[in-house]
Amino acid sequence: NAGVTQTPKFQVLKTGQSMTLQCAQDMNHEYMSWYRQDPGMGLRLIHYSVGAGITDQGEVPNGYNVSRSTTEDFPLRLLSAAPSQTSVYFCASSPRTGAYQPQHFGDGTRLSIL
Amino acid sequence: DAKTTQPPSMDCAEGRAANLPCNHSTISGNEYVYWYRQIHSQGPQYIIHGLKNNETNEMASLIITEDRKSSTLILPHATLRDTAVYYCIVRPSNFGNEKLTFGTGTRLTIIP
């Protein structure tokens, strides 16, 4: 049981390049989310999904796209990378139940935009 | 979601109890208090949550005041591995657990 797996762990991009951050979970969780964490700050929600085919915007969605074609995968796409998107990106998942279930986080992708 | 206020940093001696406070004076009746921690830039880890009764699990205890305007996370016997940033989060317990609002938290340092 791998939990939440994020790839790559590190990436350096040039301004204007595009790329996709991968997130996969093997726990059959309905909910998945993407956060970014800037130095000295807490996590901020980018996009989230409550199930396959359903996505919505979080607090800081500009410059990012997501899709959820399967329960397991929730990729985050940077359309045209900007230095302001240099950050650590975390993916999380949780099950949909009647009671609170904690989010399970991946180990993060450290992204630098030059 | 209600706002929370936490001290930016705290120290605690190894083996002693670490008491981390959190103020949430605007908390609503249907909002729970959740605690997560983040060890050295890893992904956050869930610790505990509660509504109004005190809660305890294998990691920690959560004490919520009677008026629910503040709470304290207690790590009973802190170890060096408890050095981390601790986040106190307040939000309703419904199907919105895919969205969490993290503040800047408390950086807890356990001193040998």
Side-chain angles (χ1 to χ4, degrees):
Chain A
N1 190 342
V4 178
T5 303
Q6 292 186 236
T7 55
K9 295 190 184 304
F10 301 93
Q11 184 69 48
V12 178
L13 292 178
K14 294 182 179 179
T15 297
Q17 286 185 314
S18 63
M19 82 160 292
T20 299
L21 309 185
Q22 302 292 344
C23 176
Q25 52 93 7
D26 60 358
M27 298 171 283
N28 203 32
H29 286 171
E30 292 86 352
Y31 294 160
M32 296 187 75
S33 309
W34 276 103
Y35 296 84
R36 63 175 286 176
Q37 184 174 33
D38 299 327
M41 306 280 289
L43 282 71
R44 291 184 293 169
L45 183 66
I46 305 172
H47 286 284
Y48 65 96
S49 169
V50 299
I54 305 170
T55 64
D56 207 345
Q57 296 181 349
E59 179 186 357
V60 288
N62 293 339
Y64 307 95
N65 271 359
V66 292
S67 60
R68 183 100 180 267
S69 55
T70 67
T71 298
E72 295 76 22
D73 300 298
F74 190 42
L76 178 72
R77 281 181 285 277
L78 278 71
L79 308 174
S80 177
S84 60
Q85 294 178 305
T86 293
S87 191
V88 181
Y89 292 83
F90 290 100
C91 179
S93 75
S94 58
R96 177 187 174 102
T97 67
Y100 179 74
Q101 292 288 334
Q103 291 197 324
H104 298 256
F105 285 82
D107 290 334
T109 293
R110 284 145 184 83
L111 182 63
S112 293
I113 315 296
L114 305 178
Chain B
D1 298 349
K3 278 190 171 258
T4 62
T5 303
Q6 299 178 253
S9 64
M10 294 180 62
D11 293 337
C12 178
E14 187 178 17
R16 305 296 293 269
N19 296 282
L20 293 93
C22 180
N23 285 323
H24 32 79
S25 58
T26 60
I27 192 169
S28 300
N30 67 338
E31 289 183 313
Y32 282 62
V33 181
Y34 306 106
W35 284 84
Y36 280 74
R37 72 180 182 183
Q38 188 173 24
I39 297 174
H40 190 52
S41 299
Q42 296 175 13
Q45 175 191 26
Y46 166 80
I47 302 172
I48 199 168
H49 77 282
L51 180 63
K52 56 182 178 181
N53 297 320
N54 298 337
E55 302 288 344
T56 296
N57 63 20
E58 64 279 4
M59 291 181 67
S61 295
L62 175 61
I63 308 298
I64 302 174
T65 58
E66 191 170 344
D67 63 8
R68 304 207 323 119
K69 293 185 177 181
S70 66
S71 59
T72 301
L73 177 74
I74 301 172
L75 309 178
H77 304 287
T79 70
L80 297 178
R81 288 177 292 182
D82 293 321
T83 292
V85 178
Y86 287 77
Y87 298 99
C88 170
I89 300 167
V90 173
R91 66 165 291 109
S93 178
N94 52 21
F95 288 157
N97 61 352
E98 73 282 7
K99 298 179 286 185
L100 291 176
T101 301
F102 289 81
T104 52
T106 295
R107 181 172 297 278
L108 175 67
T109 302
I110 306 302
I111 301 171

Short mmCIF file of all heavy atoms in Angstrom, two decimals, chain A residues 13-74:
data_model
loop_
_atom_site.label_atom_id
_atom_site.label_comp_id
_atom_site.label_asym_id
_atom_site.label_seq_id
_atom_site.Cartn_x
_atom_site.Cartn_y
_atom_site.Cartn_z
N LEU A 13 12.27 24.24 -14.06
CA LEU A 13 11.70 24.65 -15.34
C LEU A 13 12.18 26.05 -15.70
O LEU A 13 12.56 26.83 -14.83
CB LEU A 13 10.18 24.67 -15.28
CG LEU A 13 9.41 23.38 -15.13
CD1 LEU A 13 7.91 23.68 -15.04
CD2 LEU A 13 9.69 22.44 -16.30
N LYS A 14 12.09 26.34 -16.99
CA LYS A 14 12.32 27.71 -17.43
C LYS A 14 10.97 28.40 -17.57
O LYS A 14 9.93 27.76 -17.84
CB LYS A 14 13.05 27.71 -18.77
CG LYS A 14 14.46 27.15 -18.69
CD LYS A 14 15.15 27.23 -20.04
CE LYS A 14 16.57 26.69 -19.95
NZ LYS A 14 17.26 26.72 -21.27
N THR A 15 10.99 29.70 -17.39
CA THR A 15 9.76 30.49 -17.55
C THR A 15 9.12 30.21 -18.91
O THR A 15 9.82 30.19 -19.93
CB THR A 15 10.08 31.99 -17.42
OG1 THR A 15 10.58 32.23 -16.10
CG2 THR A 15 8.84 32.82 -17.64
N GLY A 16 7.82 29.96 -18.89
CA GLY A 16 7.08 29.70 -20.11
C GLY A 16 6.90 28.23 -20.44
O GLY A 16 6.03 27.89 -21.26
N GLN A 17 7.69 27.38 -19.84
CA GLN A 17 7.54 25.95 -20.10
C GLN A 17 6.28 25.43 -19.42
O GLN A 17 5.78 26.03 -18.45
CB GLN A 17 8.76 25.17 -19.58
CG GLN A 17 10.00 25.33 -20.43
CD GLN A 17 11.13 24.45 -19.95
OE1 GLN A 17 11.43 24.37 -18.75
NE2 GLN A 17 11.80 23.78 -20.88
N SER A 18 5.78 24.32 -19.90
CA SER A 18 4.64 23.67 -19.27
C SER A 18 5.08 22.32 -18.73
O SER A 18 6.09 21.75 -19.18
CB SER A 18 3.51 23.49 -20.28
OG SER A 18 3.93 22.63 -21.33
N MET A 19 4.37 21.85 -17.73
CA MET A 19 4.65 20.51 -17.23
C MET A 19 3.46 20.02 -16.40
O MET A 19 2.56 20.80 -16.05
CB MET A 19 5.91 20.47 -16.38
CG MET A 19 5.75 20.90 -14.96
SD MET A 19 7.09 20.27 -13.92
CE MET A 19 6.78 18.51 -13.90
N THR A 20 3.46 18.73 -16.13
CA THR A 20 2.41 18.10 -15.35
C THR A 20 3.02 17.44 -14.13
O THR A 20 3.96 16.66 -14.24
CB THR A 20 1.65 17.05 -16.18
OG1 THR A 20 1.04 17.70 -17.30
CG2 THR A 20 0.58 16.38 -15.34
N LEU A 21 2.49 17.79 -12.97
CA LEU A 21 2.85 17.11 -11.73
C LEU A 21 1.87 15.96 -11.54
O LEU A 21 0.65 16.15 -11.61
CB LEU A 21 2.78 18.06 -10.53
CG LEU A 21 3.52 19.39 -10.64
CD1 LEU A 21 3.45 20.15 -9.32
CD2 LEU A 21 4.95 19.18 -11.07
N GLN A 22 2.43 14.78 -11.27
CA GLN A 22 1.60 13.61 -11.14
C GLN A 22 1.27 13.30 -9.68
O GLN A 22 2.09 13.50 -8.79
CB GLN A 22 2.29 12.39 -11.76
CG GLN A 22 2.65 12.53 -13.22
CD GLN A 22 1.41 12.57 -14.12
OE1 GLN A 22 0.31 12.20 -13.72
NE2 GLN A 22 1.62 13.04 -15.36
N CYS A 23 0.05 12.82 -9.45
CA CYS A 23 -0.38 12.38 -8.12
C CYS A 23 -1.23 11.14 -8.29
O CYS A 23 -2.18 11.15 -9.08
CB CYS A 23 -1.16 13.47 -7.40
SG CYS A 23 -1.81 12.92 -5.81
N ALA A 24 -0.89 10.09 -7.57
CA ALA A 24 -1.65 8.84 -7.62
C ALA A 24 -1.84 8.31 -6.22
O ALA A 24 -0.95 8.41 -5.38
CB ALA A 24 -0.93 7.81 -8.48
N GLN A 25 -3.04 7.76 -5.98
CA GLN A 25 -3.30 7.13 -4.67
C GLN A 25 -3.95 5.77 -4.90
O GLN A 25 -4.73 5.59 -5.83
CB GLN A 25 -4.17 8.04 -3.79
CG GLN A 25 -5.45 8.55 -4.42
CD GLN A 25 -6.67 7.71 -4.16
OE1 GLN A 25 -6.64 6.75 -3.39
NE2 GLN A 25 -7.78 8.06 -4.82
N ASP A 26 -3.60 4.84 -4.03
CA ASP A 26 -4.08 3.46 -4.18
C ASP A 26 -5.03 3.07 -3.06
O ASP A 26 -5.17 1.88 -2.73
CB ASP A 26 -2.89 2.50 -4.25
CG ASP A 26 -2.02 2.53 -3.01
OD1 ASP A 26 -2.31 3.32 -2.09
OD2 ASP A 26 -1.03 1.78 -2.96
N MET A 27 -5.69 4.06 -2.46
CA MET A 27 -6.57 3.80 -1.32
C MET A 27 -8.04 3.93 -1.71
O MET A 27 -8.91 3.89 -0.84
CB MET A 27 -6.23 4.78 -0.19
CG MET A 27 -4.81 4.61 0.33
SD MET A 27 -4.29 5.89 1.48
CE MET A 27 -3.95 7.24 0.34
N ASN A 28 -8.31 4.13 -3.00
CA ASN A 28 -9.68 4.27 -3.52
C ASN A 28 -10.41 5.45 -2.86
O ASN A 28 -11.62 5.40 -2.63
CB ASN A 28 -10.47 2.97 -3.30
CG ASN A 28 -11.64 2.86 -4.25
OD1 ASN A 28 -11.58 3.33 -5.38
ND2 ASN A 28 -12.72 2.25 -3.80
N HIS A 29 -9.65 6.51 -2.59
CA HIS A 29 -10.25 7.70 -1.99
C HIS A 29 -10.97 8.54 -3.03
O HIS A 29 -10.45 8.77 -4.13
CB HIS A 29 -9.16 8.55 -1.33
CG HIS A 29 -8.64 7.97 -0.06
ND1 HIS A 29 -7.53 8.50 0.58
CD2 HIS A 29 -9.06 6.94 0.70
CE1 HIS A 29 -7.31 7.80 1.69
NE2 HIS A 29 -8.22 6.84 1.77
N GLU A 30 -12.16 9.04 -2.65
CA GLU A 30 -12.92 9.89 -3.57
C GLU A 30 -12.33 11.29 -3.67
O GLU A 30 -12.30 11.89 -4.73
CB GLU A 30 -14.38 9.99 -3.12
CG GLU A 30 -15.18 8.69 -3.24
CD GLU A 30 -15.04 7.80 -2.03
OE1 GLU A 30 -14.20 8.10 -1.14
OE2 GLU A 30 -15.77 6.80 -1.95
N TYR A 31 -11.87 11.82 -2.53
CA TYR A 31 -11.41 13.20 -2.50
C TYR A 31 -9.92 13.28 -2.79
O TYR A 31 -9.14 12.51 -2.23
CB TYR A 31 -11.66 13.83 -1.13
CG TYR A 31 -13.09 14.02 -0.74
CD1 TYR A 31 -13.43 14.19 0.60
CD2 TYR A 31 -14.11 14.05 -1.67
CE1 TYR A 31 -14.75 14.36 0.98
CE2 TYR A 31 -15.42 14.23 -1.30
CZ TYR A 31 -15.74 14.39 0.03
OH TYR A 31 -17.04 14.57 0.41
N MET A 32 -9.54 14.22 -3.64
CA MET A 32 -8.13 14.53 -3.86
C MET A 32 -7.96 16.04 -3.99
O MET A 32 -8.86 16.73 -4.48
CB MET A 32 -7.60 13.81 -5.11
CG MET A 32 -7.62 12.30 -4.99
SD MET A 32 -6.81 11.44 -6.34
CE MET A 32 -5.07 11.71 -5.97
N SER A 33 -6.80 16.52 -3.56
CA SER A 33 -6.56 17.96 -3.53
C SER A 33 -5.11 18.26 -3.86
O SER A 33 -4.23 17.43 -3.62
CB SER A 33 -6.85 18.53 -2.13
OG SER A 33 -8.13 18.14 -1.66
N TRP A 34 -4.88 19.46 -4.38
CA TRP A 34 -3.53 19.97 -4.60
C TRP A 34 -3.34 21.25 -3.79
O TRP A 34 -4.20 22.14 -3.80
CB TRP A 34 -3.29 20.31 -6.07
CG TRP A 34 -2.86 19.15 -6.91
CD1 TRP A 34 -3.63 18.44 -7.79
CD2 TRP A 34 -1.57 18.57 -6.95
NE1 TRP A 34 -2.88 17.45 -8.38
CE2 TRP A 34 -1.61 17.51 -7.89
CE3 TRP A 34 -0.35 18.84 -6.31
CZ2 TRP A 34 -0.49 16.72 -8.19
CZ3 TRP A 34 0.76 18.07 -6.61
CH2 TRP A 34 0.67 17.01 -7.55
N TYR A 35 -2.20 21.31 -3.08
CA TYR A 35 -1.82 22.48 -2.31
C TYR A 35 -0.43 22.94 -2.77
O TYR A 35 0.37 22.14 -3.25
CB TYR A 35 -1.73 22.15 -0.82
CG TYR A 35 -3.01 21.73 -0.15
CD1 TYR A 35 -3.45 20.41 -0.20
CD2 TYR A 35 -3.77 22.65 0.57
CE1 TYR A 35 -4.61 20.02 0.44
CE2 TYR A 35 -4.95 22.25 1.21
CZ TYR A 35 -5.35 20.94 1.14
OH TYR A 35 -6.50 20.55 1.78
N ARG A 36 -0.15 24.21 -2.55
CA ARG A 36 1.20 24.71 -2.69
C ARG A 36 1.64 25.33 -1.38
O ARG A 36 0.82 25.85 -0.61
CB ARG A 36 1.33 25.72 -3.84
CG ARG A 36 0.52 26.98 -3.69
CD ARG A 36 0.81 27.97 -4.82
NE ARG A 36 2.12 28.60 -4.68
CZ ARG A 36 2.65 29.43 -5.58
NH1 ARG A 36 1.98 29.74 -6.68
NH2 ARG A 36 3.84 29.97 -5.39
N GLN A 37 2.94 25.23 -1.12
CA GLN A 37 3.49 25.78 0.11
C GLN A 37 4.72 26.60 -0.24
O GLN A 37 5.73 26.07 -0.70
CB GLN A 37 3.85 24.70 1.11
CG GLN A 37 4.34 25.25 2.45
CD GLN A 37 4.55 24.17 3.49
OE1 GLN A 37 4.93 23.04 3.18
NE2 GLN A 37 4.28 24.49 4.74
N ASP A 38 4.64 27.89 0.00
CA ASP A 38 5.76 28.79 -0.21
C ASP A 38 6.58 28.88 1.07
O ASP A 38 6.06 28.61 2.16
CB ASP A 38 5.25 30.16 -0.64
CG ASP A 38 4.47 30.09 -1.93
OD1 ASP A 38 4.81 29.25 -2.78
OD2 ASP A 38 3.50 30.85 -2.09
N PRO A 39 7.83 29.30 0.98
CA PRO A 39 8.71 29.31 2.17
C PRO A 39 8.10 30.07 3.34
O PRO A 39 7.64 31.20 3.19
CB PRO A 39 9.98 30.01 1.64
CG PRO A 39 9.99 29.69 0.19
CD PRO A 39 8.55 29.69 -0.24
N GLY A 40 8.09 29.44 4.52
CA GLY A 40 7.60 30.08 5.73
C GLY A 40 6.10 30.24 5.80
O GLY A 40 5.59 30.91 6.70
N MET A 41 5.40 29.63 4.85
CA MET A 41 3.94 29.80 4.80
C MET A 41 3.24 28.46 5.04
O MET A 41 3.85 27.39 4.93
CB MET A 41 3.53 30.33 3.42
CG MET A 41 4.24 31.59 3.00
SD MET A 41 3.51 33.03 3.77
CE MET A 41 1.96 33.12 2.90
N GLY A 42 1.95 28.55 5.32
CA GLY A 42 1.15 27.35 5.37
C GLY A 42 0.76 26.91 3.97
O GLY A 42 1.08 27.56 2.97
N LEU A 43 0.05 25.79 3.88
CA LEU A 43 -0.38 25.28 2.59
C LEU A 43 -1.60 26.05 2.09
O LEU A 43 -2.49 26.39 2.87
CB LEU A 43 -0.75 23.80 2.70
CG LEU A 43 0.40 22.80 2.74
CD1 LEU A 43 1.17 22.86 4.03
CD2 LEU A 43 -0.13 21.39 2.49
N ARG A 44 -1.64 26.28 0.80
CA ARG A 44 -2.79 26.94 0.18
C ARG A 44 -3.38 26.02 -0.89
O ARG A 44 -2.65 25.44 -1.69
CB ARG A 44 -2.39 28.28 -0.44
CG ARG A 44 -2.03 29.34 0.59
CD ARG A 44 -1.74 30.67 -0.08
NE ARG A 44 -0.54 30.64 -0.89
CZ ARG A 44 -0.17 31.59 -1.74
NH1 ARG A 44 -0.94 32.66 -1.89
NH2 ARG A 44 0.95 31.48 -2.44
N LEU A 45 -4.70 25.92 -0.90
CA LEU A 45 -5.40 24.99 -1.79
C LEU A 45 -5.44 25.54 -3.21
O LEU A 45 -5.87 26.67 -3.44
CB LEU A 45 -6.81 24.75 -1.26
CG LEU A 45 -7.67 23.75 -2.01
CD1 LEU A 45 -7.11 22.34 -1.89
CD2 LEU A 45 -9.10 23.80 -1.49
N ILE A 46 -5.04 24.72 -4.18
CA ILE A 46 -5.04 25.13 -5.59
C ILE A 46 -6.32 24.65 -6.28
O ILE A 46 -7.11 25.44 -6.79
CB ILE A 46 -3.82 24.57 -6.34
CG1 ILE A 46 -2.51 24.96 -5.63
CG2 ILE A 46 -3.80 25.07 -7.78
CD1 ILE A 46 -1.29 24.28 -6.20
N HIS A 47 -6.50 23.35 -6.35
CA HIS A 47 -7.68 22.71 -6.92
C HIS A 47 -8.01 21.47 -6.11
O HIS A 47 -7.13 20.92 -5.43
CB HIS A 47 -7.45 22.29 -8.38
CG HIS A 47 -7.42 23.38 -9.37
ND1 HIS A 47 -8.57 24.02 -9.83
CD2 HIS A 47 -6.39 23.96 -10.04
CE1 HIS A 47 -8.23 24.94 -10.71
NE2 HIS A 47 -6.92 24.93 -10.87
N TYR A 48 -9.24 21.03 -6.20
CA TYR A 48 -9.62 19.81 -5.53
C TYR A 48 -10.67 19.07 -6.34
O TYR A 48 -11.26 19.63 -7.29
CB TYR A 48 -10.14 20.08 -4.11
CG TYR A 48 -11.42 20.88 -4.04
CD1 TYR A 48 -12.65 20.26 -3.93
CD2 TYR A 48 -11.38 22.27 -4.08
CE1 TYR A 48 -13.82 20.99 -3.85
CE2 TYR A 48 -12.55 23.01 -4.01
CZ TYR A 48 -13.75 22.37 -3.88
OH TYR A 48 -14.91 23.10 -3.81
N SER A 49 -10.89 17.81 -5.97
CA SER A 49 -11.85 16.96 -6.68
C SER A 49 -12.57 16.08 -5.67
O SER A 49 -11.95 15.51 -4.77
CB SER A 49 -11.11 16.08 -7.70
OG SER A 49 -11.96 15.08 -8.22
N VAL A 50 -13.88 15.96 -5.84
CA VAL A 50 -14.67 15.11 -4.95
C VAL A 50 -14.99 13.76 -5.58
O VAL A 50 -15.68 12.94 -4.97
CB VAL A 50 -15.97 15.81 -4.49
CG1 VAL A 50 -15.63 17.09 -3.72
CG2 VAL A 50 -16.87 16.11 -5.67
N GLY A 51 -14.49 13.53 -6.79
CA GLY A 51 -14.68 12.25 -7.45
C GLY A 51 -14.28 12.35 -8.90
O GLY A 51 -14.06 13.45 -9.43
N ALA A 52 -14.18 11.19 -9.56
CA ALA A 52 -13.79 11.17 -10.97
C ALA A 52 -14.75 12.03 -11.78
O ALA A 52 -15.97 11.95 -11.62
CB ALA A 52 -13.77 9.74 -11.48
N GLY A 53 -14.18 12.88 -12.62
CA GLY A 53 -14.95 13.75 -13.48
C GLY A 53 -15.41 15.05 -12.85
O GLY A 53 -16.04 15.89 -13.52
N ILE A 54 -15.07 15.27 -11.56
CA ILE A 54 -15.53 16.47 -10.86
C ILE A 54 -14.33 17.19 -10.25
O ILE A 54 -13.58 16.61 -9.46
CB ILE A 54 -16.51 16.11 -9.73
CG1 ILE A 54 -17.68 15.30 -10.27
CG2 ILE A 54 -17.01 17.38 -9.04
CD1 ILE A 54 -18.55 14.70 -9.18
N THR A 55 -14.13 18.45 -10.64
CA THR A 55 -13.06 19.25 -10.06
C THR A 55 -13.58 20.63 -9.74
O THR A 55 -14.61 21.07 -10.29
CB THR A 55 -11.84 19.38 -11.00
OG1 THR A 55 -12.23 20.09 -12.19
CG2 THR A 55 -11.29 18.01 -11.39
N ASP A 56 -12.87 21.33 -8.87
CA ASP A 56 -13.27 22.69 -8.51
C ASP A 56 -12.04 23.46 -8.08
O ASP A 56 -10.99 22.88 -7.77
CB ASP A 56 -14.31 22.69 -7.40
CG ASP A 56 -15.19 23.92 -7.44
OD1 ASP A 56 -14.83 24.91 -8.13
OD2 ASP A 56 -16.24 23.93 -6.78
N GLN A 57 -12.17 24.80 -8.08
CA GLN A 57 -11.05 25.66 -7.75
C GLN A 57 -10.93 25.86 -6.26
O GLN A 57 -11.93 25.92 -5.54
CB GLN A 57 -11.23 27.02 -8.44
CG GLN A 57 -11.21 26.94 -9.95
CD GLN A 57 -11.37 28.31 -10.58
OE1 GLN A 57 -11.70 29.29 -9.92
NE2 GLN A 57 -11.15 28.38 -11.89
N GLY A 58 -9.69 26.00 -5.83
CA GLY A 58 -9.42 26.35 -4.45
C GLY A 58 -9.09 27.82 -4.31
O GLY A 58 -9.61 28.66 -5.04
N GLU A 59 -8.18 28.12 -3.41
CA GLU A 59 -7.84 29.51 -3.08
C GLU A 59 -6.97 30.17 -4.15
O GLU A 59 -7.11 31.36 -4.43
CB GLU A 59 -7.13 29.52 -1.73
CG GLU A 59 -6.68 30.88 -1.22
CD GLU A 59 -5.86 30.76 0.06
OE1 GLU A 59 -5.69 29.63 0.57
OE2 GLU A 59 -5.38 31.81 0.53
N VAL A 60 -6.04 29.40 -4.75
CA VAL A 60 -5.07 29.98 -5.69
C VAL A 60 -5.01 29.18 -6.98
O VAL A 60 -3.99 28.56 -7.31
CB VAL A 60 -3.66 30.08 -5.04
CG1 VAL A 60 -3.64 31.17 -4.00
CG2 VAL A 60 -3.25 28.74 -4.42
N PRO A 61 -6.07 29.17 -7.80
CA PRO A 61 -6.11 28.30 -8.98
C PRO A 61 -5.45 28.84 -10.25
O PRO A 61 -5.19 28.07 -11.18
CB PRO A 61 -7.62 28.16 -9.22
CG PRO A 61 -8.16 29.49 -8.77
CD PRO A 61 -7.32 29.90 -7.59
N ASN A 62 -5.17 30.16 -10.28
CA ASN A 62 -4.71 30.76 -11.53
C ASN A 62 -3.37 30.19 -11.97
O ASN A 62 -2.42 30.12 -11.20
CB ASN A 62 -4.62 32.27 -11.38
CG ASN A 62 -5.99 32.91 -11.21
OD1 ASN A 62 -7.00 32.32 -11.57
ND2 ASN A 62 -6.02 34.11 -10.65
N GLY A 63 -3.30 29.81 -13.25
CA GLY A 63 -2.08 29.27 -13.82
C GLY A 63 -1.98 27.76 -13.75
O GLY A 63 -0.99 27.19 -14.22
N TYR A 64 -3.00 27.12 -13.20
CA TYR A 64 -3.00 25.67 -13.04
C TYR A 64 -4.30 25.07 -13.61
O TYR A 64 -5.36 25.66 -13.49
CB TYR A 64 -2.92 25.28 -11.57
CG TYR A 64 -1.79 25.89 -10.79
CD1 TYR A 64 -1.98 27.06 -10.06
CD2 TYR A 64 -0.53 25.30 -10.77
CE1 TYR A 64 -0.95 27.63 -9.34
CE2 TYR A 64 0.51 25.86 -10.04
CZ TYR A 64 0.29 27.02 -9.33
OH TYR A 64 1.32 27.58 -8.61
N ASN A 65 -4.15 23.87 -14.19
CA ASN A 65 -5.31 23.10 -14.62
C ASN A 65 -5.27 21.72 -14.01
O ASN A 65 -4.18 21.18 -13.75
CB ASN A 65 -5.32 22.95 -16.15
CG ASN A 65 -6.03 24.08 -16.84
OD1 ASN A 65 -6.54 24.99 -16.20
ND2 ASN A 65 -6.06 24.03 -18.16
N VAL A 66 -6.44 21.14 -13.78
CA VAL A 66 -6.52 19.77 -13.29
C VAL A 66 -7.60 19.03 -14.05
O VAL A 66 -8.48 19.63 -14.66
CB VAL A 66 -6.84 19.70 -11.78
CG1 VAL A 66 -5.69 20.23 -10.94
CG2 VAL A 66 -8.13 20.44 -11.47
N SER A 67 -7.53 17.72 -13.99
CA SER A 67 -8.58 16.85 -14.49
C SER A 67 -8.57 15.60 -13.63
O SER A 67 -7.57 15.28 -12.99
CB SER A 67 -8.35 16.51 -15.97
OG SER A 67 -7.10 15.85 -16.13
N ARG A 68 -9.68 14.91 -13.61
CA ARG A 68 -9.78 13.69 -12.80
C ARG A 68 -10.55 12.65 -13.61
O ARG A 68 -11.76 12.52 -13.51
CB ARG A 68 -10.50 13.99 -11.49
CG ARG A 68 -10.58 12.80 -10.55
CD ARG A 68 -9.54 12.87 -9.47
NE ARG A 68 -9.62 11.73 -8.57
CZ ARG A 68 -10.31 11.73 -7.43
NH1 ARG A 68 -11.03 12.79 -7.10
NH2 ARG A 68 -10.31 10.66 -6.66
N SER A 69 -9.82 11.91 -14.43
CA SER A 69 -10.45 10.92 -15.28
C SER A 69 -10.61 9.57 -14.57
O SER A 69 -11.45 8.76 -14.96
CB SER A 69 -9.67 10.73 -16.58
OG SER A 69 -8.32 10.40 -16.29
N THR A 70 -9.81 9.33 -13.55
CA THR A 70 -9.91 8.09 -12.77
C THR A 70 -9.92 8.44 -11.29
O THR A 70 -9.51 9.54 -10.89
CB THR A 70 -8.75 7.13 -13.03
OG1 THR A 70 -7.53 7.72 -12.52
CG2 THR A 70 -8.58 6.85 -14.53
N THR A 71 -10.35 7.52 -10.47
CA THR A 71 -10.31 7.73 -9.02
C THR A 71 -8.88 7.85 -8.51
O THR A 71 -8.59 8.60 -7.59
CB THR A 71 -11.01 6.57 -8.29
OG1 THR A 71 -12.38 6.54 -8.69
CG2 THR A 71 -10.95 6.73 -6.78
N GLU A 72 -7.96 7.11 -9.14
CA GLU A 72 -6.60 7.00 -8.62
C GLU A 72 -5.72 8.22 -8.90
O GLU A 72 -4.81 8.52 -8.14
CB GLU A 72 -5.90 5.77 -9.22
CG GLU A 72 -6.50 4.43 -8.82
CD GLU A 72 -7.80 4.13 -9.56
OE1 GLU A 72 -8.03 4.72 -10.64
OE2 GLU A 72 -8.59 3.31 -9.04
N ASP A 73 -5.95 8.91 -10.03
CA ASP A 73 -4.99 9.91 -10.49
C ASP A 73 -5.59 11.31 -10.51
O ASP A 73 -6.75 11.52 -10.89
CB ASP A 73 -4.50 9.56 -11.90
CG ASP A 73 -3.81 8.21 -11.94
OD1 ASP A 73 -2.78 8.07 -11.25
OD2 ASP A 73 -4.30 7.31 -12.65
N PHE A 74 -4.74 12.29 -10.16
CA PHE A 74 -5.19 13.69 -10.13
C PHE A 74 -3.99 14.55 -10.53
O PHE A 74 -3.34 15.16 -9.69
CB PHE A 74 -5.71 14.04 -8.74
CG PHE A 74 -6.41 15.37 -8.66
CD1 PHE A 74 -7.31 15.78 -9.64
CD2 PHE A 74 -6.21 16.20 -7.56
CE1 PHE A 74 -7.98 16.99 -9.54
CE2 PHE A 74 -6.88 17.41 -7.45
CZ PHE A 74 -7.77 17.80 -8.44
#
